[in-house]
């Protein structure tokens, strides 16, 4: 068969694939617009990039691969909004849904792996004393190293036999997230892998930190609401205070405990994805919650504050205060009474 050369008109008629010019989030937005879109300052954004760059940087030299900055911008935009993946792709350089999904999964896993580096309960005396001093100066409560509570992250009803376990007491499907924070709202510990029907006290008692406190591996004291049983390491409010000292104890206890409620409020306001229903499998939602908690701690350590109005505290955290009250034994009540005195 003779070779027939292509005519110039034939070459012009062939469809040439074009790529839109991709944005550089650090140069294409001013400081205010950058913070509104990604919930972080450019300085903190650059720092986060440095933490994940080795595993996030493209492995090829193709010009159309996503840089670390572009991948982080995608996931922060995903966390900061309640938008679907298609809309995230449309707002970030016309990316396909599949590309956005892969980026969200990959970068979320990288951030979640940083949990041990940025979320840790104090293990040395100096750190413990620093946290205790923070609670004393800010709230007037002495000798405590953290405040524990839980919040619910709404999810789409999962398929399979496990679906009923994710229905919480308010009737919707969720992940029950239990966390401990210090006086500045820094997460010291977080457990984000229990279904919505699990009670806070069970999550805490079966967690590593709960068992370490119960077995005197750690000697700290933390605060919790009356849904937790009172222990020598976990102080709860007095159900029916009588003396002026008990009344004052309850007032300061409630004032101090508000920091964990406020911290959950800031977490869900900064990452609006946690405020609405997440349409993903529970396992993936748990990793997203952990990644957001890591980012929250990074922001605090980088002095990258996200303010929350005083009247905005998550309603499900407030309502939890009226949930099941645990019965306290005589010995537990005695320790609490001695602590008050």
């Amino acid at each position: 068969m003779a070779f027939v050369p292509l005519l110039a008109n034939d070459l012009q008629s062939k469809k040439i694939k074009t790529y839109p010019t991709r944005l550089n989030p650090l140069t294409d937005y001013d400081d205010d617009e950058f913070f509104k879109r990604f919930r972080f300052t450019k300085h903190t954004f650059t720092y986060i990039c440095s933490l994940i760059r080795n595993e996030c940087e493209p492995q090829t030299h193709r010009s159309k691969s996503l840089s670390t900055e572009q991948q982080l911008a995608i996931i922060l935009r995903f966390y900061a909004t309640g938008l679907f993946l298609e809309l995230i792709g449309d707002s970030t350089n016309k990316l396909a849904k599949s590309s956005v999904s892969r980026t969200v999964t990959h970068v979320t896993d990288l951030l979640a792996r940083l949990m041990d580096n940025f979320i840790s309960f104090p293990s040395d005396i100096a750190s413990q004393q620093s946290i205790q001093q923070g609670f004393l100066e800010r709230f007037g409560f002495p000798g405590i190293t953290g405040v524990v509570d839980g919040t619910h992250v709404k999810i789409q009803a999962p398929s399979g036999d496990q679906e009923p376990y994710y229905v919480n007491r308010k009737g919707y499907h969720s992940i029950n997230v239990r966390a401990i924070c210090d006086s500045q709202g820094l997460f010291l510990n977080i457990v984000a892998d229990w279904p919505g029907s699990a009670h806070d006290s069970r999550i805490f008692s079966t967690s590593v930190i709960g068992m370490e406190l119960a077995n005197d591996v750690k000697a700290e004291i933390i605060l919790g609401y009356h849904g937790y049983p009172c222990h020598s390491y976990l102080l709860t409010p007095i159900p029916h205070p009588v003396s002026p000292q008990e009344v004052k104890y309850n007032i300061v206890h409630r004032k101090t405990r508000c920091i964990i409620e406020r911290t959950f409020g800031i977490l869900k306001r900064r990452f609006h994805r946690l405020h609405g229903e997440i349409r993903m499998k529970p396992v993936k939602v748990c990793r997203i919650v952990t990644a957001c908690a890591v980012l929250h701690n990074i922001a605090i350590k980088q002095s990258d504050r996200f303010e929350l109005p005083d009247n905005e505290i998550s309603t499900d955290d407030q309502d939890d205060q009226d949930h099941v009250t645990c019965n306290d034994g005589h010995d537990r009540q005695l320790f609490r009474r001695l602590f008050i005195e």
Side-chain angles (χ1 to χ4, degrees), residues 55-74:
E55 298 182 74
C56 209
E57 197 66 15
Q59 300 300 311
T60 68
H61 296 289
R62 296 176 60 185
S63 60
K64 303 308 174 184
S65 56
L66 292 171
S67 66
T68 301
E69 287 77 10
Q70 289 168 337
Q71 292 181 61
L72 183 60
I74 289 171

Side-chain angles (χ1 to χ4, degrees), residues 115 118-123 127-128 131-132 135 139 143-151 176-192 200-214 218-225 228 233-235 256-264 267 289-290 293-294 296-297 300-301 317:
M115 184 175 70
F118 291 96
I119 303 178
S120 60
F121 205 75
S123 57
S127 298
Q128 296 167 11
I131 293 175
Q132 291 171 6
F135 277 112
F139 303 107
I144 62 168
T145 317
V147 181
V148 62
D149 204 352
T151 189
N176 192 349
V177 182
R178 201 271 312 138
I180 302 174
C181 76
D182 68 6
S183 63
Q184 301 301 317
L186 189 77
F187 286 120
L188 305 177
N189 183 263
I190 190 165
V191 177
D200 292 356
S201 62
R202 182 188 176 194
I203 298 174
F204 175 75
S205 63
T206 57
S207 66
V208 173
I209 188 65
M211 290 186 287
E212 287 181 347
L213 289 170
K218 294 185 180 294
E220 290 85 355
I221 299 175
I222 61 176
L223 297 187
Y225 76 101
Y228 294 96
Y233 55 86
L234 176 56
L235 296 177
T256 307
R257 205 172 65 248
C258 277
I259 184 60
I260 185 66
E261 299 165 5
R262 187 176 181 83
T263 299
F264 283 139
L267 182 72
V289 174
T290 302
V294 169
H296 170 88
N297 275 16
I300 292 179
K301 292 182 178 182
D317 302 323

Side-chain angles (χ1 to χ4, degrees), residues 5 30 32 47 77 157 296 298:
D30 61 30
D32 291 338
Y47 173 71
R77 189 68 177 153
H296 170 88
I298 290 175

Side-chain angles (χ1 to χ4, degrees), residues 15-73:
K15 186 176 180 180
I16 300 175
K17 189 174 183 179
T18 60
Y19 296 89
T21 303
R22 289 193 173 132
L23 296 174
N24 184 333
L26 291 171
T27 59
D28 293 338
Y29 300 112
D30 61 30
D31 292 342
D32 291 338
E33 289 297 323
F34 187 92
F35 190 85
K36 289 179 182 178
R37 282 173 168 79
F38 304 112
R39 301 297 197 269
F40 290 94
T41 62
K42 291 183 179 181
H43 173 76
T44 304
F45 181 92
T46 303
Y47 173 71
I48 299 171
C49 285
S50 69
L51 296 174
I52 62 175
R53 190 177 301 280
N54 289 340
E55 298 182 74
C56 209
E57 197 66 15
Q59 300 300 311
T60 68
H61 296 289
R62 296 176 60 185
S63 60
K64 303 308 174 184
S65 56
L66 292 171
S67 66
T68 301
E69 287 77 10
Q70 289 168 337
Q71 292 181 61
L72 183 60

